[in-house]
Amino acid sequence: MSSSDSETGLGGNSISRERVLILDFGSQYAQLIARRVREQNVYCEIVRHDITPEQIARHEPQGLILSGGPNSVYEDGAPRCHPGIFEMGLPVLGICYGMQLMCEALGGKVENAPCREYGRARLTVDDAAGLFEGFPAQADVWMSHGDQVRQVSEVFESLAHTSTCPYAAVRHKTLPMYAFQFHPEVTHTPQGSVLLRNFVRDVCGCSGTWQLGDFARETIEQVRARVGNKRVICGLSGGVDSAVVAALLSQAIGDRLTCILVDNGLLRANEREAVVHEFSRHFRTDLRVIEAEKEFLDTLAGVVDPQEKRRRIGHQFIESFKSEATSIPDAHFLAQGTLYPDVIESGAAQDGPAATIKLHHNVGGLPEQLGFELIEPLRDLFKDEVRRLGEQLGLPPELVWRHPFPGPGLAVRCLGEVTRDKLVTLREADAIVVDEIRKAGLYRTTSQAFAVLLPVQSVGVMGDARTYENTVAIRSVDTDDFMTADWSHLPYELLATMSTRIINEVKGVNRVVYDISSKPPATIEWE
C-alpha cells in the first residue's frame, strides 16, 4: 500500500497484478513518474526510499524506479536506499538522484558538476538498442542537477551524453539496471514516454492491464465499505475535482451525501450560481450554501504574505464548515477533491523529504478538532486523469473541462492585501480573460487562463487625464499534468483584445501585461 493509500484509508489496488514501485527520494516529480507509467497501463505505487527488500518482495513488483531528489549523495544524512535492492534481480531504473545513488552504490563516483544543467539540454544517443529503441538519435531532454556521475565502475556502460554530461544515460552490463541523469517523466522531455515505455514493457515485461476504470470501480467499492451507513460531507468549489469526488460518492453512497459550497467572497464571477445550477441539475444530493464573505475578508484584512493568506483561509474554511456541519445528522466523513499536485506541493505526500512549495488548505490545514474522518479519493491522480474519470462517470463537459481554480480562490491572485474592492476589479478582469479565451475557441486547448491583480500602480493617460492605476497580469498555461507547464502562445490579436477590454471596462486598471514564465521555474499561480 502506498503512503497516500493509507492516509486516505481506501486501501491498495488489489486488481493490479502488474505493478512498478517508485522509491521516492524527495523528488517533486515522483508522482509524475507514476503518471507516465500509468499511461502504459501499468499500475504504480510510491513507497519510501528506505523500503527493505523483504517489504518490496511483498508487493511483487515487476520493476523499481529510483526517483530524483534535492540532495547530494555524498552529503551526510542524504536519503539512501537499502543496498539489497540491487541484488534482488529486479529491473531498476534510476532517474537523476536515483542514477547517482545507483552508480555510487555500485562503485562509481559522483561529484559536484563543473557546469550545472537546469533546463533543456541536447542529448546524443550512443547506443540506440534496447532502452533507446524508437528514440531519436538526438533529442531535447530536461535536466535539473548540480551533481553528476563523473566515473562509473566497470559494470556500467554509457548509452547517451550531452555536451557537459558524459554519462547522461547508462546501463549495467549484465543486470537489468538502467539510469538517466535527465528527467524522462516531464513534458519538457518530449520523447521521454518512449523510454519509460521501453523500461516497463520491454525490460520489466509488463503487458499493461491496469485501466482508470478499474480505479473508479475499486474506489466506489472501498468508499461504500468504509462509510457504511454514515453520512459524508463534500466540499464543493465549482471545479472538476470536487465534482468528480461528488460523482464518485453519489454512486457509492447515494443520499448519504451532503454537498456544501462555502461562498467565501473569493469565487470567480458567477461561480456560486453555476455550482448551484449544475449540481441541482446533475446530482440528487443535499446541497447547502454557506454565506461567509464577511468572515473571510475580515480574517484576511491587512495580510500580505501568501502563506499566511492560505493558513487563514484554511482556518476560516474549517470554522465555516464546522458551523454548518453541526446541523447535519450523522456527519462523520469529510470528502475533498485533493489531487496529487496539491499533496506533493504542500509537502504532505509522504514521510519522505519532499520540499514544501505551498500550503493548500485542502491538505495543509485540517486540525484534529475538525471532528471528521478525511476521504480524498483522488489524492493519487493528476488533473488529466481526473477529467477522464469524470467523463467515465457521466459528468457534463462543462464541468469536466472547466479550468482549475485554487483552493484559496482569488486571494492568491490578488497580490498584497485582499479587499472587497480589489476582488471586484480582479473578478471583472478575470471574467474578460475567460470570455475572450472562449470566444477564440481556445478554452479546451489551454489548460488554465486567468487574471492576476498586481500590487503595482503605474502612470497612464486616459483621455486627456493622467492616471496612476493598477496593473493586471494575464496568465495562460498549457500542461498535461500541472506539475510542469508552458505559457500559452496566445495570438497577439487575442491579447490585444483582452488588454483593450480590461482597460476600458474595468475601473482602476490602466496597464495589462502577459506572463510568459514556464513551470518550473515559476509556478502556475502567482502566490
Side-chain angles (χ1 to χ4, degrees), residues 27-33 35-36 39 120 142-144 183-190 341 344-345 357 382-384 447-448 475-487 517-525:
S27 172
Q28 296 297 333
Y29 301 140
Q31 190 75 3
L32 185 50
I33 301 170
R35 180 191 172 278
R36 298 300 184 213
E39 289 176 352
R120 287 186 174 87
W142 186 259
M143 293 283 194
S144 182
H183 289 271
E185 69 274 20
V186 302
T187 55
H188 298 307
T189 301
I344 193 70
E345 292 186 354
I357 295 176
F382 285 86
K383 182 69 70 173
D384 63 313
S447 302
Q448 194 169 354
R475 178 72 156 148
S476 182
V477 298
D478 302 327
T479 178
D480 291 329
D481 46 58
F482 289 86
M483 293 294 283
T484 62
D486 282 325
W487 58 277
S517 309
S518 63
K519 176 187 178 180
T523 56
I524 294 176
E525 298 291 342

Side-chain angles (χ1 to χ4, degrees), residues 62-75:
Q62 274 63 51
L64 307 176
I65 297 179
L66 311 184
S67 82
N71 299 94
S72 295
V73 298
Y74 47 77
E75 293 176 345

Side-chain angles (χ1 to χ4, degrees), residues 177-194:
M177 296 183 187
Y178 300 82
F180 303 137
Q181 183 58 72
F182 57 92
H183 289 271
E185 69 274 20
V186 302
T187 55
H188 298 307
T189 301
Q191 302 294 323
S193 59
V194 173

Side-chain angles (χ1 to χ4, degrees), residues 50-111:
D50 54 359
I51 187 172
T52 67
E54 292 76 21
Q55 291 170 322
I56 289 175
R58 287 197 290 269
H59 287 266
E60 299 182 351
Q62 274 63 51
L64 307 176
I65 297 179
L66 311 184
S67 82
N71 299 94
S72 295
V73 298
Y74 47 77
E75 293 176 345
D76 291 338
R80 296 185 177 278
C81 58
H82 193 290
I85 69 170
F86 300 118
E87 301 172 0
M88 296 181 68
L90 287 171
V92 182
L93 173 64
I95 297 176
C96 197
Y97 181 88
M99 171 185 183
Q100 297 163 14
L101 195 67
M102 178 193 296
C103 289
E104 185 195 53
L106 297 178
K109 187 174 183 180
V110 177
E111 296 178 351

Side-chain angles (χ1 to χ4, degrees), residues 343-397:
V343 175
I344 193 70
E345 292 186 354
S346 69
Q350 293 208 82
D351 297 329
T356 297
I357 295 176
K358 67 181 181 183
L359 292 178
H360 188 291
H361 78 265
N362 276 1
V363 293
L366 287 170
E368 293 180 1
Q369 63 265 30
L370 184 63
F372 299 114
E373 289 187 41
L374 189 60
I375 294 179
E376 295 175 311
L378 310 181
R379 187 184 175 92
D380 289 334
L381 299 185
F382 285 86
K383 182 69 70 173
D384 63 313
E385 293 176 317
V386 172
R387 293 195 196 280
R388 299 205 318 268
L389 185 58
E391 290 178 325
Q392 292 180 8
L393 294 170
L395 290 174

Side-chain angles (χ1 to χ4, degrees), residues 231 250 253-258 284-286:
R231 178 166 292 275
S250 181
I253 61 173
D255 60 6
R256 294 195 303 283
L257 171 66
T258 293
R284 293 181 179 178
T285 185
D286 178 23

Side-chain angles (χ1 to χ4, degrees), residues 452 454 471-475 495 499 511-516 526:
V452 181
L454 306 183
T471 302
V472 165
I474 297 172
R475 178 72 156 148
L495 292 172
S499 176
R511 192 176 298 272
V512 175
V513 298
Y514 187 51
D515 182 350
I516 58 170
W526 277 50

Side-chain angles (χ1 to χ4, degrees), residues 208-236:
T209 57
W210 185 76
Q211 301 291 336
L212 194 58
D214 300 334
F215 172 88
R217 288 189 298 273
E218 270 216 354
T219 301
I220 289 171
E221 293 171 2
Q222 291 164 353
V223 168
R224 185 179 294 134
R226 182 181 176 196
V227 170
N229 60 1
K230 296 183 177 67
R231 178 166 292 275
V232 178
I233 299 173
C234 179
L236 295 180

